Amino acid sequence: MIEIFDGAMGTMLQQGGLKAGACPELMNVENPEVVRKIHRAYIDAGATIIETNTFGASSLKLEHYGISARARELNFAAVKIAKSAGNVKVAGSMGPTGKFIAPLGDLDFEDAYKIFYEQAQSLAEAGADFLIIETCIDIQEMRAALLAAKDACNLPVICQLSYSEDGRTVTGTDPQSAAVILEAMGADIIGVNCSLGPEQLVPVVKILAENCRVPVSVQPNAGMPYLENGVTKFPMDAKTFGSWGVKLVEAGATFLGGCCGTTPAHIKALAENLKNCKESSRRFSNTLKLASRSKTVEIDKNLPTVLIGERINPTGRKKLAAEIREGSLLGVKKDAVNQVKSGAKILDVNMGVGGIDQAKMMAQAVKEISQITDAPLAIDTSDEKTLEAALRIYPGRALINSVSFEPDRIKKFLPLAKKYGAAILVLPLTEKGVPKTAEERVEVAEKIIDAAKNIGLRDGDFLLDALVMTISADANACNEVLKTLKIYREKFGYPSTMGLSNISFGLPNRPLINSTFFAMCLAAGLDAPIMNPYDESMQNALKASAALLGKDANGLNFSKLVVNNSEVAVEKKINLPILAQIKQAVIDGDKDEIPALIVKAIEENYSANEITEKSLTAAMNDIGEEFGAGKVFLPQVLLSAETMRTAFNKLKEILPTTETANNGTFVIATVKGDVHDLGKNITGALLANSGFKLIDLGKDVDSAEIVKAAIENNADIVGLCALMTTTMIQIDKVIADLHAAGCSAKVMVGGAALTQEYADAAGADAYAKDGVTAVKLAKELVANEKN
């Protein structure tokens, strides 16, 4: 069945008397009839689900107006108004907090969870039929909101992220990864809203529909806004907007509505176009999918072998264990980066060191590894608290390593897998130990799978371990593993894994035994080996086997084989010239290592200017190019910028007279009436870390205050941000006031709703679509002015 959402609320509220800069949610108690009238207009237009006027009604967002204590009151009032407007379903709207969750920002994950929990609970108790978490640009914030919503009530939860023109959220999440993560966590409907028009959202809807079983929702804007005679307008009329409905349904959507720029007329046209439309058939693959914030990895017999890197494990590694015990993750992060460079697609993470708070250390490791690599993680622990600490904070879909058929593991680990959407590595162990025969192992694996399915896990959630024993103790160990792999594939069809090196324990020439065994296992059905990606012989066996098994067409990759994955090759990077090492450390976001490298460069008599230009600035230029090409994403950019700032600070500490980069004075503000400052804060952080003197005036800033600050600080550039289409007009006012005051500063504008065309019409000197672009353009503007 196709459901029709309503359209924009903000513009309609302004037409109903809401003043610029006033709190939209206060209308629920101060002028409820205006809100009710808007709901009725959308119902009359054909909406079958209307959203409450609570997008910004969380306690954190209401702090801006000094009314955070009234959050519950405003949410309750909104639901009651919507319920009284007509006989349709009501979705309680929950918008983003406006802040990034640590380590990208300063909002703690648990604080975000509490904020969303309070709002979800209020909306549910007031009588909402759904909860809709919408316009999120960060998968981690969406995870916090979804967990909170599921804990607060039993209502169906709709999760809608907003994507940029490159098909990713601001923090780098693609639709496939979003679908994989959110469905596994229990989202009832997954979708997209805002930012783009219906034409741009058709491919997003298609990807979502192909990667989840739940219904898909879409609420596009009426195209991208533009400026005409000082008035913000949207290009897409109601008829054109409505005509896209069928294509969105064909792509897989069954819940459709509108966002910015849409009116009751748009919703009426959409409803009329979909009156006799049937939902499209969808195909879904049950392959095992794991996801990081920005990448999905699939494991299946018909896909290339997936290497799981085993190196982040202190067992048998005294140096790594000592670092972890001291609270340092330097070695862990190096291994994370190097394993991915050596071909690991998933990283196994183990913090099993005695005498430490393993849960705390695991959570910190997961946070930091997630920021520097895009590989999904396998959480390797036997401790329930450590497992939950990792799963709760991980911004993706992890693999639990492992679940055996032991009472504690079944009782404690499986519910955590269900709650946090993790897949499980099925380890056929029992309280009695390791089953010796393949048949016994398969029988135990089946018991674990049945127990997992009883609590809600399903096909696509399992990776089966074949259990490797050493042939020095059991002559038949290899044969039982090979037989287990074959039965796994025939009986279950699920992918398989194993740790390989135990097969050769106690024998000479272990690399030869291991690589030969590896090739035999690949032929028998091994899909995701857990191994050392630096091992040259194992990598060669993997590439040769891929060619022989038809997973490397015509042996093309094998033909290009150049062995460069060994640990020795990775470690040779320490022999790079010191300036190259510093540059690479900034690119990798290695802020822990950078101070020592700066000291070494000074000792080698490099000047502060050489270090800055040839290492730090060069690194950020490369990062900017990678970001523009979609090869790295905002978390990595922020970490690299922070690493560069750490380097600058170390230079100042060693050489107090050193003048770090001074690229000019940049005054930045979100315009009057707009309380969103997330994009501004990102841009400000990157500018400050790139040598600009930043003067941040905050959000909801009056034009007169911006002009005053620009003149008093002799600003080179004034940056104006506007996220809301209803506040974009303020950009024109500020630019006009700056010119009238004789301010010579260049003006740069940006924000989700803005376009280059809008910026040109408003008279801006530059338009920045993101923070990285802003830094590049700011440097060019200042350089041009000096010339």
Side-chain angles (χ1 to χ4, degrees):
M1 178 179 176
I2 293 174
E3 300 276 9
I4 306 295
F5 283 118
D6 52 13
M9 173 63 75
T11 306
M12 302 290 289
L13 285 174
Q14 285 195 334
Q15 293 175 5
L18 177 67
K19 295 180 180 179
C23 175
E25 288 75 24
L26 268 179
M27 295 284 278
N28 297 334
V29 294
E30 293 182 351
N31 207 334
E33 192 51 43
V34 169
V35 180
R36 187 178 290 108
K37 186 177 179 181
I38 294 169
H39 288 322
R40 285 174 179 160
Y42 280 121
I43 293 170
D44 291 342
T48 59
I49 302 174
I50 56 173
E51 293 189 32
T52 55
N53 180 35
T54 54
F55 180 79
S58 67
S59 57
L60 182 60
K61 293 295 286 290
L62 294 174
E63 272 184 9
H64 177 76
Y65 305 101
I67 55 172
S68 59
R70 299 183 67 181
R72 183 175 175 83
E73 172 196 359
L74 296 178
N75 281 286
F76 258 76
V79 174
K80 298 305 179 187
I81 294 168
K83 284 284 188 179
S84 69
N87 187 27
V88 295
K89 299 167 188 172
V90 172
S93 173
M94 298 167 60
T97 61
K99 292 181 176 290
F100 274 139
I101 292 174
L104 299 187
D106 58 5
L107 181 62
D108 183 77
F109 183 88
E110 296 306 326
D111 289 337
Y113 170 87
K114 290 174 185 175
I115 290 163
F116 286 118
Y117 184 95
E118 291 168 357
Q119 188 178 13
Q121 188 176 54
S122 295
L123 291 166
E125 289 181 6
D129 302 296
F130 296 88
L131 294 179
I132 180 166
I133 308 162
E134 55 185 341
T135 326
C136 284
I137 58 173
D138 179 22
I139 192 67
Q140 187 69 321
E141 183 174 41
M142 179 61 84
R143 290 184 68 256
L146 178 55
L147 283 170
K150 287 290 184 181
D151 287 347
C153 65
N154 294 318
L155 294 181
V157 181
I158 305 167
C159 295
Q160 294 185 161
L161 290 161
S162 290
Y163 297 89
S164 304
E165 287 182 290
D166 64 356
R168 291 181 179 268
T169 68
V170 168
T171 56
T173 301
D174 59 286
Q176 182 186 29
S177 297
V180 169
I181 295 165
L182 296 175
E183 182 183 28
M185 288 183 65
D188 298 282
I189 299 166
I190 297 172
V192 51
N193 77 295
C194 205
S195 295
L196 303 170
E199 181 177 5
Q200 293 82 13
L201 292 187
V202 168
V204 174
V205 169
K206 188 173 186 295
I207 295 171
L208 290 174
E210 289 172 347
N211 286 280
C212 67
R213 305 169 184 85
V214 298
V216 172
S217 61
V218 56
Q219 293 177 282
N221 289 345
M224 298 302 291
Y226 64 96
L227 193 65
E228 183 176 279
N229 299 322
V231 178
T232 302
K233 293 186 176 182
F234 284 83
M236 192 166 286
D237 59 32
K239 182 179 179 180
T240 306
F241 182 86
S243 70
W244 280 97
V246 173
K247 292 179 182 177
L248 289 166
V249 170
E250 289 173 348
T254 51
F255 286 70
L256 300 94
C259 203
C260 299
T262 59
T263 66
H266 289 79
I267 299 305
K268 183 177 181 180
L270 180 66
E272 288 176 348
N273 272 272
L274 298 178
K275 191 175 294 182
N276 298 313
C277 189
K278 305 293 183 183
E279 46 185 292
S280 64
S281 59
R282 291 165 57 182
R283 291 185 298 172
F284 179 82
S285 168
N286 282 318
T287 57
L288 172 60
K289 299 182 180 77
L290 302 175
S292 65
R293 183 195 296 274
S294 57
K295 184 178 182 179
T296 295
V297 172
E298 297 186 55
I299 307 176
D300 185 74
K301 64 181 180 181
N302 297 315
L303 296 173
T305 304
V306 172
L307 194 162
I308 302 176
E310 68 178 7
R311 296 286 292 169
I312 305 176
N313 190 329
T315 304
R317 301 184 66 194
K318 292 182 179 179
K319 182 180 177 182
L320 184 64
E323 286 184 359
I324 294 172
R325 190 174 291 111
E326 292 167 4
S328 170
L329 291 172
L330 184 58
V332 167
K333 291 190 287 186
K334 281 185 176 180
D335 265 324
V337 171
N338 288 338
Q339 284 186 103
V340 171
K341 288 179 179 178
S342 296
K345 302 301 182 186
I346 297 167
L347 297 176
D348 190 72
V349 183
N350 184 302
M351 292 289 114
V353 175
I356 68 169
D357 185 339
Q358 286 191 28
K360 181 179 179 181
M361 205 62 184
M362 178 67 87
Q364 189 60 33
V366 166
K367 276 185 186 179
E368 299 204 23
I369 294 169
S370 298
Q371 203 174 1
I372 60 176
T373 78
D374 63 359
L377 303 185
I379 310 303
D380 188 354
T381 180
S382 59
D383 179 65
E384 171 197 2
K385 291 181 180 178
T386 301
L387 177 60
E388 181 159 25
L391 294 179
R392 191 167 181 85
I393 205 66
Y394 181 51
R397 186 186 193 217
L399 174 71
I400 295 175
N401 184 10
S402 54
V403 177
S404 57
F405 196 63
E406 298 168 280
D408 263 10
R409 291 289 181 103
I410 296 296
K411 181 181 178 182
K412 296 176 179 179
F413 279 30
L414 291 182
L416 292 176
K418 175 63 177 172
K419 179 174 183 176
Y420 294 105
I424 64 170
L425 188 153
V426 176
L427 187 68
L429 288 175
T430 70
E431 288 180 296
K432 297 178 181 179
V434 180
K436 283 193 173 183
T437 69
E439 290 80 8
E440 289 172 333
R441 293 174 190 180
V442 172
E443 182 181 347
V444 175
E446 188 167 24
K447 289 178 180 178
I448 298 170
I449 293 167
D450 288 343
K453 287 187 173 182
N454 283 339
I455 69 161
L457 273 69
R458 52 192 176 182
D459 295 341
D461 292 340
F462 307 111
L463 183 63
L464 310 184
D465 195 311
L467 270 177
V468 178
M469 305 305 291
T470 177
I471 56 174
S472 62
D474 180 358
N476 207 36
C478 174
N479 291 328
E480 291 300 331
V481 168
L482 299 177
K483 189 174 180 182
T484 302
L485 288 170
K486 290 175 182 177
I487 299 176
Y488 277 168
R489 179 159 289 183
E490 293 167 1
K491 182 178 179 66
F492 302 112
Y494 302 147
S496 58
T497 186
M498 65 177 73
L500 293 156
S501 58
N502 197 42
I503 194 72
S504 62
F505 184 78
L507 294 174
N509 200 353
R510 293 187 68 186
L512 176 59
I513 293 287
N514 291 344
S515 59
T516 304
F517 175 62
F518 184 25
M520 295 169 72
C521 290
L522 289 169
L526 177 62
D527 301 293
I530 302 172
M531 59 178 265
N532 179 356
Y534 308 144
D535 190 315
E536 181 180 323
S537 62
M538 299 292 276
Q539 287 281 7
N540 288 340
L542 177 61
K543 292 179 173 65
S545 297
L548 292 168
L549 294 172
K551 292 187 176 184
D552 174 12
N554 303 115
L556 293 178
N557 289 328
F558 181 78
S559 300
K560 294 184 286 186
L561 174 62
V562 176
V563 178
N564 59 359
N565 329 38
S566 70
E567 190 165 11
V568 173
V570 171
E571 293 303 321
K572 279 182 180 177
K573 291 173 184 173
I574 64 173
N575 297 321
L576 288 172
I578 187 60
L579 294 185
Q581 288 186 54
I582 293 172
K583 179 181 177 182
Q584 191 60 48
V586 174
I587 290 172
D588 290 341
D590 199 342
K591 62 181 180 181
D592 294 324
E593 189 176 24
I594 200 78
L597 295 176
I598 294 295
V599 171
K600 186 178 179 183
I602 296 297
E603 290 173 348
E604 292 185 14
N605 296 318
Y606 285 101
S607 68
N609 185 61
E610 285 179 298
I611 295 169
T612 299
E613 292 301 318
K614 295 181 180 179
S615 298
L616 307 182
T617 301
M620 289 309 295
N621 287 340
D622 285 359
I623 282 286
E625 290 179 8
E626 295 280 281
F627 180 80
K631 295 179 180 179
V632 300
F633 308 106
L634 184 61
Q636 179 62 55
V637 174
L638 290 173
L639 186 60
S640 292
E642 187 179 347
T643 304
M644 184 172 73
R645 174 54 55 188
T646 301
F648 278 142
N649 290 341
K650 192 64 181 179
L651 275 173
K652 291 286 286 184
E653 178 188 323
I654 300 172
L655 304 171
T657 58
T658 297
E659 287 191 13
T660 53
N662 181 11
N663 287 321
T665 300
F666 198 113
V667 172
I668 193 169
T670 302
V671 297
K672 183 68 177 174
D674 203 320
V675 298
H676 302 86
D677 62 354
L678 191 56
K680 173 187 70 66
N681 293 343
I682 295 168
T683 302
L686 292 174
L687 287 163
N689 286 333
S690 299
F692 285 88
K693 178 184 177 182
L694 186 75
I695 298 165
D696 189 342
L697 302 180
K699 57 189 175 184
D700 190 17
V701 185
D702 187 76
S703 177
E705 186 178 345
I706 297 172
V707 173
K708 180 182 177 184
I711 293 173
E712 289 182 351
N713 292 282
N714 193 25
D716 295 286
I717 303 173
V718 174
L720 304 175
C721 304
L723 178 73
M724 300 165 60
T725 56
T726 53
T727 59
M728 288 164 57
I729 190 67
Q730 289 294 319
I731 284 179
D732 307 68
K733 175 173 172 50
V734 177
I735 292 176
D737 290 349
L738 285 167
H739 291 162
C743 181
S744 61
K746 298 295 183 182
V747 180
M748 182 183 298
V749 299
L754 295 182
T755 63
Q756 181 68 60
E757 292 72 23
Y758 192 101
D760 293 342
D765 297 289
Y767 160 72
K769 64 179 182 178
D770 52 57
V772 176
T773 305
V775 172
K776 180 181 178 182
L777 291 175
K779 288 180 179 179
E780 292 175 357
L781 287 173
V782 172
N784 291 339
E785 194 66 18
K786 288 179 180 179
N787 295 332

